Every structure is written in structure tokens, then in C-alpha cells.
Amino acid sequence: MTKDELAMLDFAVKWAPFGGGDEHILPEFGVFPAVFYRRLQRLLTRHPSVNDSVRRRLDELCTVKLTPARPDRRRSHSRVPTMH
């Protein structure tokens, strides 16, 4: 594992409990969060030396971060049904 990859992994482990630390990714690594999470996912698959529980937790974080936000569905449920 390179120094840069190790730095990404350390950062992800440190910030995962706090939602990922997205605001720190660009200044720290010079890439946008989506790029960081894609690179982190590739790193996790290429390096079997990463602990399985850490790998699962970080892969889940990457998946959440890379999944587009769904439209607010509360509006469709906020209507008061009419009584007939």
C-alpha cells in the first residue's frame, strides 16, 4: 500500500464515525468527495490486508456517499386524506 493509500485509509477510519468528514477531503487530498470515495472503494478491493470489519464499514460508507440522494418523499405522505 502506498503512502497516499494509507493516508486515505487512515482518514476514512478516523472520519467514518462522524459521517466521513467530506469538508476536509478536498483540502487534504485535492479531490472532491465522490472521487475520494470511489478511490477508497477500489483500494478496499485491491488490498486484502485491510481488516474485514473495517473493509465492510468503509465500503458501506462509500456506498452511502456515492448513492444519489433520493427526492424528498415526505411531500407525497403529508397530504391529509379526504373523507367521503
Side-chain angles (χ1 to χ4, degrees), residues 4-54:
D4 290 340
E5 290 173 332
L6 188 56
M8 287 178 65
L9 187 59
D10 287 343
F11 179 92
V13 167
K14 174 183 172 182
W15 284 99
F18 308 104
D22 291 3
E23 65 276 10
H24 302 287
I25 291 173
L26 184 59
E28 183 79 20
F29 297 97
V31 297
F32 290 107
V35 173
F36 175 86
Y37 292 115
R38 282 193 297 273
R39 289 180 184 174
L40 181 60
Q41 273 188 319
R42 281 194 305 262
L43 183 154
L44 293 170
T45 60
R46 285 194 321 241
H47 293 285
S49 60
V50 177
N51 176 289
D52 284 339
S53 65
V54 170

